[in-house]
Amino acid sequence: MKVPKETKKIMELEKELHSHLPSDPALRVKALESLLVEKGLLNSATIDRWIEVFSDEVGPKNGARVVAKAWSDEAFKKHLMADARKAVDELGFPRLEANNLVVVENTPKRHNVVVCTLCSCYPWAIMGLPPTWYRSFEYRSRVVRDPRGVLREFGLELDDDVEVRVWDSNADVRYMVLPERPPDSEGLNEAELAALVSRDAMVGTAKVTTTEQGN
Amino acid sequence: MKVPKETKKIMELEKELHSHLPSDPALRVKALESLLVEKGLLNSATIDRWIEVFSDEVGPKNGARVVAKAWSDEAFKKHLMADARKAVDELGFPRLEANNLVVVENTPKRHNVVVCTLCSCYPWAIMGLPPTWYRSFEYRSRVVRDPRGVLREFGLELDDDVEVRVWDSNADVRYMVLPERPPDSEGLNEAELAALVSRDAMVGTAKVTTTEQGN
Amino acid sequence: MDGIHDMGGMHGFGPVDPSREQPFSKTEWRARMFCLELSYTQPGGFNVDWLRHVLECIPPDVYLTSDYFDRWYWRDVGVLANVGWVSIDELASGVATSRPQDVGDPLPPEAVSVMLEQGLDSRRDVADPPAFKPGDRVRAKFHSPLGATRLPRYVRGHVGVIEQYHGWHVLPDANAVGDERPEPLYSVGFLAQDLWSDAAAPGDKVFPCLWESYLERE
Amino acid sequence: MDGIHDMGGMHGFGPVDPSREQPFSKTEWRARMFCLELSYTQPGGFNVDWLRHVLECIPPDVYLTSDYFDRWYWRDVGVLANVGWVSIDELASGVATSRPQDVGDPLPPEAVSVMLEQGLDSRRDVADPPAFKPGDRVRAKFHSPLGATRLPRYVRGHVGVIEQYHGWHVLPDANAVGDERPEPLYSVGFLAQDLWSDAAAPGDKVFPCLWESYLERE
């Protein structure tokens, strides 16, 4: 089917739709689902299945395993930094929204942080759904301009001599931050290390410590 | 009194004010007026007096007189184009928001139109209050980028060989457009000419014709 | 400041409705708000650049969803609350719990004609010659401080031609914070086709007014 | 497009609230909306660049006042209404009055694992060498068509340095309207101090991904 694609027409249409439909999004979404099912365009069981996937099967635990392995296995880390997608394939993780994965490494003198200023792109298959704050206008607008100020709001204070690198996921490249391994974590195995790695640490808005639980 | 002027603090304050005050602007404005009167910061009779001024004493009729005189008196027009403020002083018009007046002249090959993209600056003393559409986001955002499209929405279609000049009143310079005199207006005196000149013609979103009444 | 107010050239707003008019009378809240702004005693005295900047600090969603004169309300209560002359409780109730000291009498109705006659003028009497003359090619700087400025975003980084020199005017960036620093002011002409990828006609031009420190010679 | 979505660097938004979390379950409308988007039959087939562009066409005030997943709703009903597959009356009532022809069966739950495994990839297998290499200095063009683009406004006109080459990827500007035109894609590093007047630290950098036609050699 050839779809007409005129920006001005879509702008008018969006205005019209908004001015005619009720305000409660929960009601509108429910009506949309019923309508699409009736029209043969949607199977509600497929929605249920996706919700299961994002509740149980993909999430920041995937990324935490990647981080823990990179900390524990120098050859894997080298592979990960050179070609993150292939390295992550080894762990059997899916590829949805992570086909062009790039891992950026934090060091004592360099801190990385990830955003999508234009919408909220995020490596779903490796990290799950983006946090609510990641999708907020506050984060999207401010972290490219005042990263140190934003990180302070997360309780993360960076020294002046640390270089901050902000990665904008405005294309289909998806970023994951490889945080610094906490200094007092020598005795831990991969599973124990993975349990320390929070979602926020892989976006770059937190550090990993041995006293904190991953989420 | 030394006023603290910190942008970040004002942003926080505006957010806080908005989240705590009722939604109906009519009620809020009424409460503000009472409050300021009680505090000795405001005299309600002064508001009433200003409303009289803007209802009866200043308005587009002032500008229309300027236009009609420029059409009828070549020496005045020359003075107006060289130093609009001094020329307008001759007519005894006030200066509020028009101390730095510039008149831009329409010709068969050049059409001028005025906007303030950053707020809604307008030559009050000469033209009265800006029209509602002049203050709209639609006009402010679009007329600098798509002047021909916006003018079409006013029913004004310009030929391709007419140069469009858009004047942004972002500083304290205020613009008035001197429209083209309609060709079939030879016999008319200044007062009759002034009656033809609409407010929109002096902003540049209309032409003057002998069939149309000024407003 | 890169705020929502700086909307010249923004896509996404629909057609202009030229027929929209709002009533203006002594009982209309919009008329009262507009004229209140011209009448009340402002802390530190009237400073249009500070007022404009406070308006720009309204949250973007509130800015886009409020009536024009309601934005004036948010601005003026911001100006007053900033110095502690009004509180949120007072604004909600309309009842004063304190009164600012040493503010003198409020503006009487008789003062209106003088204000109307004279207005305010950002121009200053400086004899020094300006750096640019009509015809000079200049580039607008990437200047976007967190604070007041009147350099519209749509010309930043672009080259234009000086059209007209308007004398020395106080710089809004400084004046907003109480520092009067006049500079030469120019109308600068930019070709629409340089500014916008979707500009329709080759000869069309846009003329913002730019202060000298916003410009560099090209 | 110079839309409200292009908010990188905009002032006026307040502090981030890291503690905000939203529930995700089978009965939550946000979760259903998110997963509906992955499940329904889209006219012309799934095209992420078109979907993103339709989202950008939501009126700016609606964009700023709607929940994230509610914006997804507005996008998807726009996509559907644009081809006449749904009407405003149907969306309001939830009751279908017509049914699109020749659309086949909707996506079954069994298809989810394959989509999850493979995802979609904007990369194309093109062997031609890219024009730029890491270390090259490039300037982002003033490119702001009335249409899809992924060139963020905050780098336009600024000079950066090629950091990394990512192979050839379909250009969103063309792909959104159904024209697959791959180009070399790069991460480009810009000094924060070049981009923002109020940048705090001298070494900080911002790295958007830019397609080759967005850039010119400096």
Side-chain angles (χ1 to χ4, degrees):
Chain A
M1 177 190 190
K2 180 81 186 150
V3 174
K5 294 182 169 174
E6 288 166 57
T7 299
K8 278 195 179 167
K9 204 185 142 218
I10 298 293
M11 283 178 180
E12 284 164 27
L13 180 62
E14 287 290 351
K15 197 159 198 166
E16 201 192 341
L17 288 164
H18 187 262
S19 64
H20 284 90
L21 290 168
S23 61
D24 181 358
L27 286 181
R28 275 187 278 105
V29 169
K30 199 167 181 173
L32 177 63
E33 185 179 334
S34 315
L35 181 64
L36 296 183
V37 169
E38 254 196 82
K39 282 184 182 262
L41 296 168
L42 177 67
N43 182 338
S44 278
T46 307
I47 295 187
D48 292 340
R49 177 71 192 112
W50 275 118
I51 294 177
E52 277 171 31
V53 163
F54 280 99
S55 300
D56 308 328
E57 296 171 33
V58 301
K61 284 194 162 44
N62 289 4
R65 274 187 56 202
V66 176
V67 169
K69 192 170 174 67
W71 284 345
S72 312
D73 175 344
E74 196 54 43
F76 176 79
K77 182 183 160 188
K78 216 171 158 182
H79 191 187
L80 183 73
M81 299 309 295
D83 187 341
R85 184 60 253 170
K86 288 216 175 110
V88 165
D89 277 347
E90 286 180 18
L91 301 179
F93 293 142
R95 287 178 166 234
L96 184 67
E97 282 291 307
N99 266 298
N100 296 280
L101 191 68
V102 167
V103 173
V104 286
E105 185 183 8
N106 284 351
T107 70
K109 292 291 167 217
R110 180 176 287 178
H111 185 86
N112 294 282
V113 58
V114 181
V115 65
C116 171
T117 59
L118 300 179
C119 39
S120 294
C121 299
Y122 195 77
W124 294 350
I126 304 299
M127 310 253 293
L129 278 183
T132 306
W133 55 257
Y134 184 87
R135 302 184 244 118
S136 71
F137 303 137
E138 290 81 359
Y139 186 76
R140 285 170 55 191
S141 65
R142 290 183 48 233
V143 78
V144 282
R145 184 157 194 152
D146 181 23
R148 291 165 191 269
V150 168
L151 293 176
R152 220 171 282 129
E153 288 153 22
F154 283 83
L156 183 54
E157 184 82 45
L158 296 177
D159 288 345
D160 288 350
D161 65 343
V162 174
E163 175 194 333
V164 177
R165 299 188 144 210
V166 185
W167 299 87
D168 191 346
S169 319
N170 62 306
D172 280 353
V173 174
R174 296 287 168 270
Y175 299 95
M176 194 186 87
V177 174
L178 177 60
E180 288 175 81
R181 180 172 175 162
D184 49 350
S185 64
E186 286 86 10
L188 305 182
N189 64 26
E190 264 187 55
E192 289 163 334
L193 287 171
L196 300 177
V197 181
S198 71
R199 175 195 66 193
D200 291 8
M202 294 181 284
V203 187
T205 58
K207 295 203 170 207
V208 180
T209 66
T210 49
T211 50
E212 208 178 344
Q213 280 300 312
N215 54 0
Chain B
M1 180 189 190
K2 180 83 185 152
V3 174
K5 294 182 171 175
E6 287 167 58
T7 300
K8 279 194 179 167
K9 202 185 145 219
I10 298 292
M11 284 177 180
E12 284 163 27
L13 179 62
E14 288 289 351
K15 198 161 197 161
E16 200 192 343
L17 287 164
H18 186 262
S19 65
H20 284 90
L21 290 168
S23 61
D24 180 359
L27 286 181
R28 275 187 278 105
V29 170
K30 198 169 179 170
L32 177 62
E33 185 178 332
S34 316
L35 182 64
L36 295 184
V37 169
E38 253 196 84
K39 282 183 182 262
L41 296 168
L42 176 68
N43 181 339
S44 279
T46 308
I47 295 188
D48 293 339
R49 176 72 193 113
W50 275 119
I51 294 177
E52 277 170 28
V53 163
F54 280 98
S55 301
D56 308 327
E57 297 172 32
V58 301
K61 282 194 165 41
N62 289 4
R65 275 186 57 201
V66 175
V67 169
K69 194 171 175 66
W71 284 345
S72 314
D73 176 345
E74 196 54 42
F76 176 78
K77 183 183 159 188
K78 216 170 155 181
H79 191 188
L80 184 72
M81 299 310 296
D83 188 340
R85 184 59 253 170
K86 287 216 175 111
V88 165
D89 277 347
E90 287 180 17
L91 301 180
F93 293 142
R95 290 179 163 232
L96 184 67
E97 280 294 307
N99 267 297
N100 296 280
L101 190 67
V102 167
V103 173
V104 286
E105 186 183 7
N106 284 352
T107 71
K109 293 292 167 213
R110 180 176 286 177
H111 186 87
N112 294 281
V113 57
V114 180
V115 65
C116 171
T117 59
L118 299 179
C119 40
S120 294
C121 299
Y122 195 77
W124 295 349
I126 305 299
M127 310 254 292
L129 278 184
T132 307
W133 55 258
Y134 184 88
R135 301 184 244 119
S136 71
F137 303 138
E138 291 81 359
Y139 187 76
R140 284 170 54 191
S141 65
R142 291 182 49 233
V143 78
V144 282
R145 184 159 194 150
D146 181 21
R148 290 165 191 271
V150 168
L151 293 178
R152 220 171 281 128
E153 288 153 21
F154 283 83
L156 183 55
E157 183 82 46
L158 296 176
D159 289 344
D160 287 352
D161 64 344
V162 174
E163 175 194 333
V164 178
R165 300 189 143 208
V166 185
W167 299 87
D168 190 348
S169 319
N170 62 307
D172 280 351
V173 175
R174 296 289 169 270
Y175 299 95
M176 193 187 87
V177 174
L178 176 59
E180 288 175 81
R181 179 170 175 165
D184 50 351
S185 64
E186 284 86 11
L188 305 182
N189 64 28
E190 264 188 54
E192 288 163 333
L193 287 170
L196 300 176
V197 181
S198 72
R199 175 194 68 194
D200 291 8
M202 294 180 283
V203 187
T205 58
K207 294 203 172 210
V208 179
T209 66
T210 49
T211 53
E212 208 179 346
Q213 280 301 313
N215 55 358
Chain C
M1 176 173 129
D2 277 328
I4 187 69
H5 69 286
D6 189 0
M7 50 174 65
M10 252 189 82
H11 286 128
F13 294 98
V16 178
D17 178 0
S19 70
R20 261 186 79 207
E21 302 278 358
Q22 286 168 341
F24 190 85
S25 76
K26 285 186 183 170
T27 54
E28 283 292 330
W29 72 265
R30 289 183 183 86
R32 294 206 80 75
M33 186 62 232
F34 169 65
C35 294
L36 186 152
E37 198 267 342
L38 296 169
S39 308
Y40 78 98
T41 307
Q42 291 182 15
F46 183 86
N47 178 329
V48 68
D49 291 310
W50 175 242
L51 286 176
R52 286 190 186 130
H53 184 55
V54 172
L55 188 67
E56 297 161 6
C57 292
I58 296 174
D61 59 331
V62 177
Y63 192 100
L64 286 188
T65 53
S66 302
D67 182 275
Y68 178 77
F69 289 113
D70 200 17
R71 296 200 294 279
W72 284 38
Y73 170 88
W74 293 118
R75 175 193 58 194
D76 289 337
V77 297
V79 164
L80 288 160
N82 179 48
V83 294
W85 282 11
V86 302
S87 69
I88 288 175
D89 287 345
E90 288 178 320
L91 291 167
S93 66
V95 179
T97 55
S98 73
R99 201 187 143 128
Q101 300 302 303
D102 307 319
V103 291
D105 289 330
L107 191 80
E110 301 75 45
V112 167
S113 4
V114 180
M115 277 180 71
L116 176 67
E117 280 309 313
Q118 302 183 347
L120 290 169
D121 196 343
S122 64
R123 187 155 179 179
R124 294 294 175 269
D125 202 10
V126 179
D128 294 354
F132 307 118
K133 59 178 191 311
D136 283 357
R137 281 166 55 86
V138 290
R139 188 183 293 273
K141 293 182 188 168
F142 284 105
H143 169 73
S144 59
L146 177 63
T149 187
R150 298 290 284 186
L151 174 56
R153 190 171 180 182
Y154 67 82
V155 294
R156 284 191 224 146
H158 289 282
V159 173
V161 175
I162 302 283
E163 174 78 11
Q164 210 178 344
Y165 164 58
H166 299 294
W168 291 63
H169 289 253
V170 297
L171 181 71
D173 308 44
N175 193 50
V177 290
D179 181 11
E180 193 176 301
R181 208 186 304 162
E183 282 188 7
L185 179 71
Y186 310 90
S187 288
V188 184
F190 294 84
L191 268 177
Q193 288 199 333
D194 287 347
L195 301 181
W196 325 113
S197 298
D198 49 354
D204 292 355
K205 296 194 186 76
V206 184
F207 297 85
C209 271
L210 303 175
W211 277 260
E212 198 162 279
S213 65
Y214 295 171
L215 301 169
E216 54 197 8
R217 190 176 295 277
E218 178 63 14
Chain D
M1 177 174 127
D2 276 329
I4 187 69
H5 70 286
D6 188 0
M7 52 174 63
M10 252 188 81
H11 286 128
F13 294 99
V16 178
D17 178 1
S19 69
R20 261 186 79 207
E21 302 278 359
Q22 287 167 341
F24 190 85
S25 76
K26 286 186 184 172
T27 55
E28 284 291 333
W29 71 267
R30 290 183 182 86
R32 295 206 81 75
M33 186 63 233
F34 169 66
C35 294
L36 185 152
E37 199 267 340
L38 295 169
S39 307
Y40 78 100
T41 308
Q42 291 181 14
F46 182 87
N47 178 330
V48 69
D49 291 309
W50 176 242
L51 287 176
R52 284 188 187 133
H53 183 54
V54 172
L55 188 67
E56 296 162 7
C57 292
I58 296 174
D61 59 330
V62 177
Y63 192 101
L64 287 189
T65 52
S66 302
D67 182 274
Y68 177 77
F69 289 112
D70 200 17
R71 296 199 296 277
W72 284 38
Y73 171 88
W74 294 118
R75 175 192 60 194
D76 289 338
V77 297
V79 165
L80 289 160
N82 179 45
V83 296
W85 281 12
V86 303
S87 68
I88 288 176
D89 286 347
E90 287 179 322
L91 291 166
S93 67
V95 179
T97 56
S98 73
R99 201 187 143 128
Q101 300 301 304
D102 308 319
V103 290
D105 289 331
L107 191 82
E110 301 76 43
V112 167
S113 3
V114 180
M115 278 180 69
L116 176 66
E117 280 310 313
Q118 301 182 348
L120 289 168
D121 196 344
S122 64
R123 185 156 180 179
R124 295 294 174 270
D125 202 9
V126 179
D128 295 355
F132 307 117
K133 58 176 195 307
D136 284 356
R137 280 166 56 86
V138 289
R139 189 183 293 271
K141 292 180 188 168
F142 283 104
H143 169 73
S144 59
L146 177 63
T149 186
R150 298 291 282 185
L151 174 56
R153 189 170 184 183
Y154 67 82
V155 293
R156 284 193 223 144
H158 288 282
V159 174
V161 175
I162 302 282
E163 175 79 10
Q164 211 178 344
Y165 164 58
H166 299 294
W168 291 63
H169 289 253
V170 297
L171 181 70
D173 308 44
N175 192 51
V177 290
D179 181 11
E180 193 176 301
R181 208 187 301 162
E183 284 186 8
L185 179 72
Y186 310 88
S187 288
V188 184
F190 294 84
L191 268 178
Q193 288 199 333
D194 287 345
L195 301 181
W196 325 114
S197 297
D198 49 353
D204 293 354
K205 295 194 187 74
V206 184
F207 296 85
C209 272
L210 302 175
W211 277 260
E212 199 163 278
S213 64
Y214 296 171
L215 301 169
E216 54 197 9
R217 191 176 295 278
E218 177 64 12

